[in-house]
């Protein structure tokens, strides 16, 4: 028999993902089942990640959660759905009989602490990494080994795609109970090593309309969204998978831009209309198309989620020149040295021809900063006990 420890704690990290075929619209609000499949790229955790510690103990009186150091309401329905689901899976495993009878840990209350290594206020998709990390940490601490798609999905739909590294599809599934609505890896992390990702942080403001309410209104009112889900996305999923498997950047980039544009078109087709793009977002779109036209091929592609920040895909041999074009079009206002974060980018000259081809007046400060990153792995367990965000008393360690 293992000796009973007062506290069992696990700490994990999980990545952010960016969809290149967008999820927008649910067919079941409670189970979070989508109206179409989607496909994403997992970003590297060296630049963007959530870290979560989950700890259980028979001495805990109630479930509790702290996000970025602040205690939050553990009663919120999506969090409750995740906790219920993980405990159901844990019980199922115990009762299947293939396990040593474990301590009564399924009935133990859990304490959770979670932090992001990037500003939540930057408007980057933090809920996907957050719920994927929660699902992963809860699974480890309660001894669950089954597919975690459902647990993460019940927190936030896009979170199930953050359970894997590389390139990931969320198959919409057909069943009413959602058992076949799962995330699967399409290609592993190291499949396309030249691919690079630039996050252009345009605005740090909180968005006007969250994705959950936004997509609900779109489902209710947009005929274009219905058409997209039925008639457009299935073929795009197949085509995007092919582009990724063959490392066809032209095809990948064009389809990524078209799908982002169609998602934003469905937002405008929603009534009352939703607009997530800002003037700067539109300037970035313009810049990308001018840049590609100058080169006579798709060298750079943009995608936008439910906010004005752009995510750019390109290949390693184009990063330096495109960043120079960005610096030219959006001269950094005050923080010139902090304009570029993440992977190093060497300075590159901008030819007069390209400058002329871009044909836009510079907008100082339009892009606040850039995070350069690449494709990365799925959730990880941190073995070092020093990594725990909760102390031996089950409460958040004071920030150092
Ligand atoms: C535009 O996963 O945040 O980023 O399931 O209601 O939590 P909920 O929505 P969420 O929506 C993401 C929408 C998107 C596109 C995408 O990531 O596929």
């Amino acid at each position: 028999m293992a000796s009973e420890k007062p506290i069992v704690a696990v700490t994990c990290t999980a990545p952010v993902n960016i969809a290149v075929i967008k999820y927008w619209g649910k067919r079941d609000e409670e189970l979070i089942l989508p109206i179409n499949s989607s496909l994403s790229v997992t970003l590297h955790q060296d630049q963007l990640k959530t870290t979560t510690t989950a700890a259980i103990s028979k001495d805990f009186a109630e479930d509790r959660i702290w996000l970025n150091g602040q205690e939050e309401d553990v009663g919120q329905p999506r969090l409750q759905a995740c906790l219920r689901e993980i405990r159901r899976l844990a019980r199922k495993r115990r009762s299947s009989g293939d396990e040593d009878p474990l301590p009564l840990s399924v009935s133990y209350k859990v304490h959770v602490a979670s932090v992001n290594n990037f500003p939540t206020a930057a408007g980057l998709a933090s809920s996907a990494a957050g719920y994927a990390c929660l699902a992963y940490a809860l699974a480890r601490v309660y001894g669950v080994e089954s597919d975690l798609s459902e647990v993460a999905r019940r927190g936030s739909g896009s979170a199930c795609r953050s359970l894997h590294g590389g390139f990931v599809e969320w198959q919409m599934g057909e069943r009413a109970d959602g058992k076949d609505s799962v995330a699967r890896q399409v290609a592993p992390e190291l499949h396309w090593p030249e691919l690079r990702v630039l996050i252009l942080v345009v605005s740090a403001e909180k968005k006007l309309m969250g994705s959950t309410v936004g997509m609900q209104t779109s489902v209710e009112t947009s005929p274009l969204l219905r058409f997209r889900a039925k008639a457009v996305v299935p073929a795009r999923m197949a085509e995007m998978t092919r582009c990724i498997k063959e490392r066809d950047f032209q095809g990948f980039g064009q389809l990524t831009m078209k799908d982002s544009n169609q998602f934003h078109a469905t937002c405008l087709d929603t009534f009352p209309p939703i607009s997530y793009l800002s003037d700067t977002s539109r300037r970035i779109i313009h810049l990308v198309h001018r840049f590609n036209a100058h080169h006579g091929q798709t060298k750079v592609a943009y995608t936008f989620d439910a906010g004005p920040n752009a995510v750019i895909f390109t290949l390693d041999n184009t990063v330096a020149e495109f960043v120079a074009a960005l610096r030219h079009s959006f001269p950094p206002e005050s923080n010139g040295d902090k304009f570029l974060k993440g992977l190093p980018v060497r300075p590159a000259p901008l030819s007069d021809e390209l400058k002329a081809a871009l044909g836009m007046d510079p907008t100082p400060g339009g892009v606040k900063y850039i995070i350069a990153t690449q494709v990365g792995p799925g959730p990880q367990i941190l073995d070092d006990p020093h990594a725990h965000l909760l102390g031996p008393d089950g409460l958040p360690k004071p920030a150092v």
Side-chain angles (χ1 to χ4, degrees), residues 17-19 21-24 26 29 32 38-39 78 125 127-128 153 155-159 161 170 207 211-213 215 263 304-306:
N17 74 77
I18 297 295
I21 301 293
K22 303 291 186 194
Y23 149 53
W24 195 251
K26 298 181 186 67
E29 291 283 338
I32 309 205
S38 54
L39 205 155
R78 287 184 173 200
S127 68
R153 199 189 73 217
S156 187
S158 55
R161 298 187 313 237
W170 174 14
K207 52 189 167 196
S211 330
T212 305
V213 178
M215 69 174 82
F263 153 51
F304 296 83
D305 284 336

Side-chain angles (χ1 to χ4, degrees), residues 383-398:
D383 288 323
D384 178 4
H386 291 107
H388 292 329
L389 302 171
L390 296 166
D393 56 356
L395 297 174
K397 289 183 187 167

Side-chain angles (χ1 to χ4, degrees), residues 324-343:
L326 284 170
R327 266 189 200 278
H328 169 74
S329 305
F330 304 100
E333 250 172 357
S334 54
N335 59 346
D337 52 328
K338 295 197 201 104
F339 188 59
L340 200 64
K341 304 172 198 257
L343 294 177

Side-chain angles (χ1 to χ4, degrees), residues 1 94 97-104:
M1 277 295 276
R94 300 295 136 72
D98 52 24
E99 263 310 300
D100 293 339
L102 286 169
L104 293 166

Side-chain angles (χ1 to χ4, degrees), residues 336-355:
D337 52 328
K338 295 197 201 104
F339 188 59
L340 200 64
K341 304 172 198 257
L343 294 177
V345 177
R346 66 182 162 76
L350 198 61
S351 71
D352 289 339
E353 290 77 26
L354 179 52
K355 237 183 252 176

